Amino acid sequence: MNAADDKTIVQDYFNSTGFDRWRRIYGDGEVNKVQLDIREGHQQTVATTLSWLTYDGNVSKLSICDAGCGVGSLSIPLAQDGAKVYASDISEKMVAEAKERAAAALSNTDNLTFAVQDLEALSGRYHTVICLDVLIHYPQDKAAEMIAHLASLAESRLILSFAPKTLCLSLLKKIGSFFPGASKATRAYLHREADIVEILKTCGFTVQRQDMIRTRFYFSRLLEATRKSS
């Protein structure tokens, strides 16, 4: 199955059974133990990203693209902090949910724009481009193309998360324990950190900060890379 088929599967999944499952995971309602574990892992990834962005004390001056925004877990707090945020997701249902959550959380959404759009169709220029928990849907060759495209949109910084390809996680994935659940319907691609770093280097970016978010069922390597000065 080619990457185009993968994208169609992801889009269909997150507009149907996957949407209901992940809306619960990304929310604060009751979920099962596995979903709760994944929720906590994702929240740690979002929290770490926010801490990196707020460390410099200039979030309100930044333009940010949240590529693959899901239900707005990152976009909404960034907008609350005053950043100008463009948030997109391939799933129409995810974007609709994100808009509802933003309307409930923000008194003014003028600095927050949501769009139904896949990563390849993104355009424009942003100080910072962020793409969390999306690379897992891309095989290596398409991941390289996608990262290069996102890098072309970033004036200064690119923040990515991905499921690292290690022996342990490869074995877990092989036996079906990686993102378990009856509603699992998309492929889970793991990526070697060295390969991601090399792609970033080719695009003119250098890794500045990194973290590993690990729970029982959630594994995510988080990288912040900045554009090399000419």
Side-chain angles (χ1 to χ4, degrees), residues 13-34:
Y13 174 66
F14 283 104
N15 275 323
S16 56
T17 57
F19 168 71
D20 293 328
R21 178 178 188 239
W22 288 96
R23 178 179 58 177
R24 291 195 302 272
I25 291 174
Y26 292 150
D28 55 11
E30 185 176 348
V31 290
N32 64 42
K33 291 182 179 180
V34 172

Side-chain angles (χ1 to χ4, degrees), residues 12-185:
D12 290 345
Y13 174 66
F14 283 104
N15 275 323
S16 56
T17 57
F19 168 71
D20 293 328
R21 178 178 188 239
W22 288 96
R23 178 179 58 177
R24 291 195 302 272
I25 291 174
Y26 292 150
D28 55 11
E30 185 176 348
V31 290
N32 64 42
K33 291 182 179 180
V34 172
Q35 292 171 334
L36 179 60
D37 182 88
I38 295 172
R39 173 192 289 173
E40 291 172 350
H42 178 73
Q43 288 176 341
Q44 289 179 41
T45 296
V46 170
T48 300
T49 301
L50 287 170
S51 71
W52 287 354
L53 291 167
T54 57
Y55 179 81
D56 296 331
N58 64 343
V59 172
S60 62
K61 299 178 181 178
L62 302 183
S63 60
I64 298 174
C65 176
D66 184 8
C69 65
V71 297
S73 302
L74 178 67
S75 300
I76 293 170
L78 285 175
Q80 286 175 321
D81 287 342
K84 184 176 181 181
V85 183
Y86 182 86
S88 70
D89 199 277
I90 195 173
S91 166
E92 183 177 355
K93 282 194 171 184
M94 285 288 188
V95 170
E97 178 72 13
K99 288 181 177 179
E100 288 186 12
R101 295 188 182 196
L106 302 171
S107 58
N108 188 325
T109 60
D110 288 348
N111 61 327
L112 176 57
T113 301
F114 287 106
V116 180
Q117 204 170 23
D118 62 44
L119 299 184
E120 293 85 350
L122 287 172
S123 61
R125 296 284 287 173
Y126 310 89
H127 177 277
T128 298
V129 174
I130 304 169
C131 188
L132 303 183
D133 294 348
V134 175
L135 275 172
I136 197 167
H137 301 302
Y138 284 78
Q140 184 61 34
D141 59 336
K142 292 301 177 182
E145 293 177 10
M146 186 269 284
I147 292 172
H149 177 60
L150 294 179
S152 72
L153 309 178
E155 296 174 343
S156 180
R157 176 169 50 192
L158 181 59
I159 298 176
L160 302 171
S161 74
F162 57 95
K165 189 172 185 178
T166 64
L167 178 60
C168 178
L169 293 187
S170 295
L171 289 173
L172 284 174
K173 180 176 180 289
K174 188 174 183 179
I175 64 175
S177 297
F178 193 82
F179 289 135
S183 60
K184 175 185 172 185

